[in-house]
Amino acid sequence: MPRADLIGKPLSGFMGPPDADRFDLLCRQVLARGSTQSCELHIRKSNGSAVWIKLHAISATGDGETVIRMVLSDISERKQAEATLMASTRLRDAILDSVPSQIAVLDYNGVILAVNDVWRKFALDNSTMPGEYASNTQSGVNYLDVCQAAKDDDSQKEARLVREGILHVINGTAPSFHLEYPCHSPTQQRWFSMAVTPLHVDNHAVVVTHTDITQRRQMEQAAEEASEKKFRLVADNTSDGIVIFGMDKRIQYVSPACAKLFGYPEAEVIHRSLAMMSDLIHPEDRESLFGSLVRAVESKDLDLMCSYRYKHRLGHYIWREDSVRFQYDDAGNFSGACVVARDVTQRIAAAEEIHKLAYFDELTGLPNRGLLTNRMQKVLAVSARTGTCGSLLFIDMDDFKRLKHTLGFDIGNLILKQVAQRLMRCVDEGDTVARLGGDEFMVVLSSLGSDNVEAAKKAATVASEILCSLSRPFELENQSHHCTACIGATMYQRQSISVDDLMKQVDLAMHHAKVVGQNVLRFYDPAMELGVKQRIAMEKDLRQAVAAKQFVLHYQPQVQVQGTGRVTGAEALVRWGHPVRGMVPPGDFIAVAEDTGLILALGDWVLETACAQLKAWGDEPSMAHLTLAVNVSALQFAQTDFVEQVMTMVQRTGATPLRLKLELTESLLVGNVDDIVGKMNVLKASGIGFSLDDFGTGFSSLAHLSRLPLDQLKIDRSFVNDVMTNPDDAAIARTIIALAHSLNLGVIAEGVETDEQRAFLADSGCHAYQGYLFSRPLSLEDFAVYVRKLGALST
Ligand code: C2E
Ligand code: CA
Ligand code: CA
């Protein structure tokens, strides 16, 4: 408004009625008091818009005239800001008032600065409640003092907690504080949750809220009750016993099944600790059970499975398997445990039985191969770690198969049982004696010290003791039986050798022992491995040789000397015409052929070749009278179709059966005697003859001998060799000759090398010979020459 227009206009004309009245009042006051007065007013501008102004007025007197001097300043902007602030404060209050929790703001001393509506209302409603720190609390009251005023013990404790909690948050030593607490009145049960959070604005220190959580609590309680009900249902109806231990390690609860399982009614065990009942735990299990419980709690394990024997009220023990669940509080202290106990007596009994079956030999009760392997793995590991020497002994009875056949199964088993006992007596407590099966045993000597020479000596001593102990007669049913064994042994120390390899070593050592004879101990020697390699190569070679028929027969003359000599026949002896090694003698390969079964094909070839030769000789007058002796191995003879094979061969070649003589050895005579005699009789009926080879070295009983349809005994060359030097051998040779005469059998001596030997044999009544004195084995051509020459001589 232009200045000119303003002059002379009443200021109140720019104001609304209430402001005009206040302006009027202000003017009067200024005039009356003479001091400065001020007020804030709304005035309208000429364009109609309103402005907030602050007006300062003072009276002044000059020239006797009193005037009022006024200063007006535009405060619209400030007023605007204030209005906005007012609005937001109101909004905030409205929000706080609408929150269903009680909210209060405290200053740094704990004095309540402001509360919301809910707080205010709660304080009014509950002002009469005892010990109620949320009541009687209005702005200006110190909330901490209220807390201190709590009356009864329980609320005092709680109040102290709250006080400390608030102080911590105020002082900044805790980020916040929370508490859930009951607030029960005679008519109502309520629960509250309290939270104290920092504010730190001006003197506003913390905000305290109390929220009614009664509903949530009730729901939780209902859920708890329901789950408790379910738990009872489960606990009462499972066959497993349930035991709950409290923080004090005493039993808080036992399920009815527990009473049924172990026989103790609830009253006898409730509130007792496991330690108090320790005499119910089997003495052997006590230490390990308590040990594992203590360890589990120390390392804060949550679960533990343990099985132990527990005494039933009736006195017997029950194997129980407990699965324990531990509980800990926030500080990590044991706060309880829940145990589910199960009766596993039957299962353990079954497991023990299975273990026994799986790991022990039924006959002797000794560990079997499985358990032996297991233990050896352990002792090898110990040896690798500590350097202690050990030894593995492989014990195999000599000729046990034959013994079992002649004495019967039961006696054989009784002997094996005694062998087991004798072995046990020869070893220390920590050593293992195992039975692999049949007549094979193993002994592990595991603590022989760290000096390997001393250890080997000790092992040899134990092995010798074993041999000595086993060679003592076995007394069974008033009869004593003799038996010996061979031992293959090996040592171990530190080497990382597998059980398997160690077994191979003793096996090899055993093989070498058996080759030497009976009652022999052999230690493994790495050179033996070489033998094995050679043997494997030989097997391969021999297989090819059999397929390619790389063999020839040599013929060693058999002569009858009474007056001048006369060739009666020959023994066919096989040689291997090896493409590289030349002529290989049978001693080098027959054993391998027998072990591999190749002897069957080889024997077949020998028989066929011999028969064909017999036929060829038959067609030649100077040779037609000759017999041919063919060696038959035990494996060949044992074939069920052996008889048919020989018969077909004889028929196919056209050989005269009367001129064919089969040489059997005593080793062939073990087994079913009726069967052997049957086979021999069929062949015999066709005219084929039999000679018993190597006679005197085996075990043939006279009873057997007389049953066999033999034609001839062949005195073994070992006796013949020594007849002039060893009186025993001379006696044996003479006995054999007498025996042959008494059984009405022929007798021939093999290996006759000197004329003295021949003369001795002749004196004793043996007139048939075979040996270098007459001829070495000869090729077919040389043999023909020899026969003709001798034939010419004798005629
Ligand atoms: P054997 O059946 O006892 O044969 C006799 C062995 O004694 C032959 O050895 C022969 O050469 C040898 N010999 C003969 N006279 C004398 C002598 O005066 N002094 C000495 N020191 N030795 C003499 P060879 O030919 O090396 O045969 C060894 C063994 O091989 C035979 O012993 C026999 O058991 C086996 N064998 C040979 N050929 C066959 C065969 O075709 N089949 C089977 N299954 N075994 C055979
Ligand atoms: Ca022979
Ligand atoms: Ca012989």
Side-chain angles (χ1 to χ4, degrees):
M1 185 172 278
R3 191 183 170 91
D5 294 354
L6 261 178
I7 302 297
K9 289 237 168 94
L11 194 54
S12 54
F14 294 99
M15 301 170 192
D19 280 350
D21 289 348
R22 283 178 62 204
F23 179 69
D24 193 42
L25 186 66
L26 180 101
C27 292
R28 282 174 210 280
Q29 278 171 349
V30 169
L31 291 175
R33 293 182 194 154
S35 57
T36 310
Q37 301 286 325
S38 62
C39 70
E40 289 173 359
L41 294 170
H42 233 153
I43 57 171
R44 216 173 292 114
K45 285 173 147 183
S46 63
N47 63 6
S49 67
V51 198
W52 270 102
I53 55 148
K54 176 125 190 166
L55 186 152
H56 292 275
I58 188 155
S59 63
T61 317
D63 305 334
E65 191 185 14
T66 301
V67 297
I68 298 175
R69 207 177 283 152
M70 292 184 184
V71 179
L72 285 72
S73 33
D74 185 341
I75 58 164
S76 297
E77 232 164 83
R78 203 194 85 207
K79 275 289 174 187
Q80 187 65 45
E82 272 177 11
T84 321
L85 188 68
M86 273 296 285
S88 79
T89 309
R90 259 204 309 278
L91 183 64
R92 198 181 56 207
D93 288 349
I95 291 172
L96 286 178
D97 287 346
S98 73
V99 172
S101 302
Q102 307 158 37
I103 302 173
V105 178
L106 313 187
D107 71 7
Y108 284 90
N109 296 314
V111 175
I112 299 176
L113 296 179
V115 297
N116 73 346
D117 254 0
V118 184
W119 182 294
R120 212 170 291 120
K121 212 164 149 284
F122 186 88
L124 283 174
D125 289 353
N126 297 282
S127 53
T128 52
M129 270 177 62
E132 194 39 72
Y133 46 86
S135 61
N136 275 334
T137 43
Q138 313 281 2
S139 295
V141 172
N142 189 315
Y143 192 64
L144 298 176
D145 294 345
V146 176
C147 291
Q148 217 151 26
K151 280 174 198 121
D152 60 287
D153 270 2
D154 270 357
S155 39
Q156 235 167 38
K157 202 171 128 206
E158 227 153 55
R160 202 173 47 244
L161 254 162
V162 168
R163 215 179 114 77
E164 280 164 12
I166 295 173
L167 278 171
H168 274 306
V169 182
I170 287 178
N171 298 333
T173 46
S176 61
F177 171 75
H178 296 272
L179 178 76
E180 290 194 359
Y181 62 94
C183 175
H184 303 327
S185 73
T187 52
Q188 225 181 349
Q189 294 217 323
R190 281 182 301 177
W191 280 88
F192 284 88
S193 153
M194 177 186 191
V196 181
T197 45
L199 197 57
H200 301 312
V201 176
D202 302 330
N203 63 340
H204 302 55
V206 294
V207 179
V208 177
T209 54
H210 294 267
T211 311
D212 190 333
I213 54 162
T214 309
Q215 216 174 2
R216 196 196 85 202
R217 272 282 177 160
Q218 279 167 349
M219 272 158 64
E220 278 174 3
Q221 220 163 338
E224 225 166 81
E225 274 161 21
S227 93
E228 167 89 9
K229 231 188 208 161
K230 271 188 219 153
F231 167 74
R232 293 270 167 192
L233 197 69
V234 171
D236 291 356
N237 290 292
T238 72
S239 56
D240 293 345
I242 297 172
V243 187
I244 294 176
F245 287 87
M247 196 161 67
D248 54 2
K249 302 196 174 148
R250 286 165 188 251
I251 294 178
Q252 278 182 348
Y253 168 82
V254 274
S255 71
C258 240
K260 237 185 268 166
L261 281 180
F262 307 114
Y264 305 96
E266 183 182 336
E268 279 182 30
V269 291
I270 197 93
H271 302 316
R272 308 189 67 189
S273 69
L274 195 58
M276 291 162 82
M277 299 186 290
S278 73
D279 54 325
L280 299 182
I281 296 158
H282 195 285
E284 281 172 24
D285 299 338
R286 237 171 258 164
E287 210 182 294
S288 86
L289 173 68
F290 283 111
S292 47
L293 284 171
V294 167
R295 271 195 303 280
V297 170
E298 267 171 7
S299 49
K300 309 257 176 290
D301 287 348
L302 286 178
D303 295 293
L304 178 71
M305 283 290 262
C306 43
S307 41
Y308 56 96
R309 282 158 287 181
Y310 190 76
K311 201 186 225 153
H312 190 277
R313 199 158 181 258
L314 297 176
H316 59 280
Y317 279 102
I318 287 182
W319 266 108
R320 61 187 274 184
E321 184 183 76
D322 286 4
S323 111
V324 187
R325 177 99 200 169
F326 297 102
Q327 281 141 14
Y328 305 93
D329 61 18
D330 290 343
N333 298 313
F334 173 85
S335 66
C338 175
V339 176
V340 177
R342 179 170 291 186
D343 177 355
V344 293
T345 311
Q346 269 179 337
R347 199 189 72 200
I348 295 224
E352 270 173 4
E353 187 59 31
I354 288 168
H355 175 82
K356 235 171 72 190
L357 287 178
Y359 288 109
F360 291 90
D361 168 45
E362 221 176 326
L363 176 69
T364 60
L366 292 178
N368 65 9
R369 185 186 287 271
L371 186 54
L372 173 77
T373 311
N374 215 306
R375 294 210 182 147
M376 277 183 60
Q377 275 159 354
K378 287 194 188 115
V379 299
L380 285 180
V382 170
S383 165
R385 212 171 51 239
T386 63
T388 312
C389 294
S391 177
L392 179 66
L393 309 180
F394 179 19
I395 298 126
D396 186 296
M397 307 302 290
D398 294 323
D399 244 339
F400 196 76
K401 242 191 226 132
R402 197 184 49 82
L403 189 126
K404 218 168 176 176
H405 271 301
T406 38
L407 299 179
F409 227 69
D410 295 343
I411 301 281
N413 280 347
L414 287 176
I415 290 180
L416 289 176
K417 273 190 185 175
Q418 291 201 3
V419 168
Q421 285 160 6
R422 290 185 190 184
L423 289 177
M424 293 290 283
R425 262 180 257 134
C426 291
V427 303
D428 284 346
E429 213 175 293
D431 298 331
T432 299
V433 177
R435 178 176 175 229
L436 301 188
D439 57 326
E440 297 180 344
F441 293 85
M442 277 208 182
V443 168
V444 186
L445 307 171
S446 51
S447 43
L448 298 175
S450 53
D451 178 333
N452 54 0
V453 176
E454 278 305 308
K457 276 190 203 158
K458 279 185 212 161
T461 308
V462 175
S464 307
E465 276 168 21
I466 289 175
L467 286 184
C468 178
S469 154
L470 295 183
S471 61
R472 284 202 324 272
F474 292 88
E475 307 292 345
L476 290 170
E477 297 172 354
N478 299 326
Q479 263 192 302
S480 71
H481 304 279
H482 286 271
C483 208
T484 53
C486 280
I487 297 184
T490 191
M491 305 295 298
Y492 61 82
Q493 181 192 25
R494 268 202 216 284
Q495 320 109 298
S496 50
I497 188 167
S498 72
V499 173
D500 244 26
D501 288 345
L502 218 51
M503 294 255 199
K504 274 185 198 143
Q505 291 184 356
V506 287
D507 205 61
L508 204 56
M510 168 62 73
H511 187 78
H512 281 250
K514 289 273 176 185
V515 166
V516 173
Q518 304 197 331
N519 206 22
V520 176
L521 164 66
R522 272 286 169 280
F523 270 84
Y524 165 79
D525 171 352
M528 292 174 177
E529 302 264 19
L530 196 70
V532 171
K533 283 199 187 106
Q534 282 169 351
R535 165 146 181 176
I536 289 169
M538 150 91 88
E539 264 181 45
K540 200 175 145 211
D541 234 15
L542 192 61
R543 208 170 287 279
Q544 285 166 357
V546 168
K549 300 197 165 122
Q550 285 171 358
F551 299 95
V552 286
L553 285 187
H554 279 193
Y555 301 86
Q556 185 173 35
Q558 294 185 335
V559 299
Q560 182 90 41
V561 178
Q562 230 145 8
T564 47
R566 187 176 109 84
V567 183
T568 54
E571 178 179 2
L573 294 161
V574 71
R575 273 95 184 85
W576 177 3
H578 196 279
V580 182
R581 290 163 62 192
M583 211 53 99
V584 181
D588 288 4
F589 64 88
I590 291 292
V592 179
E594 276 178 338
D595 283 356
T596 52
L598 286 168
I599 192 73
L600 294 179
L602 179 61
D604 222 37
W605 177 87
V606 170
L607 198 61
E608 178 164 24
T609 313
C611 285
Q613 198 52 54
L614 261 184
K615 164 74 178 144
W617 288 341
D619 296 341
E620 214 179 301
S622 62
M623 310 283 272
H625 67 285
L626 296 175
T627 59
L628 188 52
V630 174
N631 294 289
V632 173
S633 95
L635 200 63
Q636 257 179 299
F637 190 83
Q639 298 297 104
T640 43
D641 61 347
F642 177 71
V643 173
E644 287 87 82
Q645 276 181 34
V646 177
M647 300 291 265
T648 354
M649 207 70 86
V650 169
Q651 274 156 23
R652 203 168 66 211
T653 53
T656 313
L658 273 171
R659 309 250 176 262
L660 181 61
K661 192 159 67 177
L662 299 183
E663 287 198 3
L664 311 182
T665 55
E666 287 169 283
S667 68
L668 180 151
L669 300 178
V670 299
N672 187 341
V673 181
D674 289 337
D675 183 52
I676 296 163
V677 172
K679 280 179 174 170
M680 285 173 75
N681 275 333
V682 178
L683 293 167
K684 177 97 181 173
S686 76
I688 296 171
F690 291 100
S691 179
L692 195 54
D693 202 358
D694 305 341
F695 190 68
T697 58
F699 294 89
S700 315
S701 72
L702 283 174
H704 277 170
L705 209 57
S706 58
R707 287 190 58 195
L708 301 173
L710 291 168
D711 297 279
Q712 189 182 54
L713 299 183
K714 199 170 188 183
I715 307 171
D716 188 64
R717 64 176 180 276
S718 61
F719 304 114
V720 175
N721 195 47
D722 294 340
V723 280
M724 303 314 293
T725 50
N726 185 337
D728 285 345
D729 286 349
I732 290 172
R734 258 200 303 260
T735 311
I736 294 173
I737 296 165
L739 182 67
H741 289 330
S742 73
L743 288 172
N744 219 4
L745 301 176
V747 61
I748 183 170
E750 69 176 351
V752 183
E753 295 182 354
T754 66
D755 204 50
E756 287 78 31
Q757 289 167 351
R758 188 206 52 78
F760 173 88
L761 292 163
D763 276 355
S764 309
C766 173
H767 306 288
Y769 317 103
Q770 181 183 339
Y772 294 169
L773 174 64
F774 305 94
S775 169
R776 297 196 167 246
L778 302 168
S779 68
L780 183 60
E781 297 74 29
D782 292 348
F783 178 70
V785 170
Y786 180 86
V787 172
R788 279 190 209 105
K789 201 173 79 190
L790 219 73
L793 267 179
S794 62
T795 44

